[in-house]
């Protein structure tokens, strides 16, 4: 009888350990969300024509990240377009069209993504965005010396910048929560 109780406790602890590990792994895998231009309700004609792209150039996007564009759905929309349509502000054949007022777009592959406003005249006044997503293999070459590299190539190899939007806050909470759960588990196991 005693062996059976011990076996049940070991099984319970194994199950608890698996749950804790699963929770911990899921905390580290959380995607980041970026409000366009670093603030809510910013998808509108910017104060300077290249404002959105200056923000995007400073942000290191990775596969699995999201960009969030908030706007008045009664007067604007977001169109994902190809590079030529982006450069010409052509709204005729978008890849995707969003009109919900709070558009959350998954960056699901590496390379550039192009977005323009669907409202007349807005793209021509600078309401457009190019997002460059880093490839998974993107890393600093072993023989690359930052001291001798030109400035343009250094920018290509900078590590990802931390997210400034709500996704980062969620990740911090998830990591801290994961450590607390793991610590509590070890305390419980030690007491038994």
């Amino acid at each position: 009888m005693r062996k059976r109780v011990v076996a049940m406790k070991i099984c319970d602890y194994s199950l608890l350990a698996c749950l804790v590990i699963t929770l911990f792994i899921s905390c580290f895998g959380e995607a980041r969300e970026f409000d366009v231009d670093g603030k809510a309700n910013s998808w509108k004609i910017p104060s300077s024509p290249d404002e959105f792209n200056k923000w995007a150039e400073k942000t290191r996007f990775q596969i699995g990240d999201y960009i969030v564009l908030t706007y008045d759905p009664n007067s604007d929309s977001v169109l994902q377009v190809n590079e030529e349509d982006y450069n010409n502000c052509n709204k005729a054949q978008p890849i995707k069209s969003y009109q919900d007022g709070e558009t959350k777009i998954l960056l699901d592959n590496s390379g550039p993504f192009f977005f323009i406003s669907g409202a007349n005249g807005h793209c021509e006044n600078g309401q457009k965005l190019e997002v460059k997503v880093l490839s998974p293999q993107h890393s600093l070459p072993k023989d690359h010396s930052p001291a001798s590299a030109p400035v343009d190539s250094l920018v290509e190899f900078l590590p990802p910048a931390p997210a400034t939007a709500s996704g980062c806050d969620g990740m911090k909470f998830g990591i801290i929560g994961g450590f607390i759960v793991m610590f509590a588990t070890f305390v419980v196991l030690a007491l038994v």
Side-chain angles (χ1 to χ4, degrees):
M1 181 71 168
R2 181 168 165 85
K3 287 183 181 182
R4 186 173 178 194
V5 171
V6 171
M8 287 177 64
K9 282 187 178 184
I10 291 173
C11 183
D12 288 343
Y13 293 137
S14 297
L15 181 61
L16 182 59
C18 287
L19 288 172
V20 169
I21 290 169
T22 302
L23 175 66
F24 189 71
I25 290 171
S26 69
C27 291
F28 281 108
E30 188 172 335
R32 302 176 306 166
E33 289 183 12
F34 295 90
D35 287 321
V36 169
D37 204 22
K39 51 191 176 252
N41 287 328
S42 63
W43 188 243
K44 55 188 171 194
I45 297 175
S47 56
S48 69
D50 57 350
E51 180 178 333
F52 293 132
N53 288 335
K54 282 184 177 179
W55 167 79
E57 288 170 3
K58 294 186 290 184
T59 308
R60 301 291 175 237
F61 299 99
Q62 297 179 22
I63 295 171
D65 287 346
Y66 291 87
I67 59 169
V68 180
L69 301 100
T70 51
Y71 51 92
D72 181 356
N74 296 316
S75 61
D76 208 345
S77 62
V78 178
L79 305 178
Q80 183 176 349
V81 295
N82 63 36
E83 185 173 9
E84 182 179 345
D85 289 345
Y86 171 83
N87 290 328
N88 297 317
C89 291
N90 182 1
K91 302 180 294 185
Q93 296 180 334
I95 297 168
K96 292 182 184 172
S97 178
Y98 306 93
Q99 301 170 334
D100 59 358
E102 186 164 337
T103 301
K104 183 176 176 180
I105 300 170
L106 171 65
L107 303 173
D108 58 357
N109 61 301
S110 62
F113 287 77
F114 300 96
F115 304 97
I116 62 174
S117 169
N120 289 332
H122 285 211
C123 177
E124 293 81 358
N125 286 305
Q127 191 177 347
K128 58 186 193 173
L129 170 67
E130 178 182 355
V131 172
K132 293 179 183 171
V133 179
L134 300 173
S135 69
Q137 301 86 6
H138 195 83
S139 63
L140 187 63
K142 293 177 183 170
D143 61 345
H144 187 81
S145 170
S148 64
V151 174
D152 286 343
S153 67
L154 275 178
V155 173
E156 286 292 317
F157 296 109
L158 290 175
T164 58
S166 60
C168 183
D169 294 337
M171 187 182 296
K172 287 179 190 173
F173 175 76
I175 291 170
I176 293 170
F179 280 121
I180 291 171
V181 170
M182 281 183 49
F183 179 74
T185 302
F186 289 126
V187 169
V188 168
L189 290 174
L191 293 174
V192 175

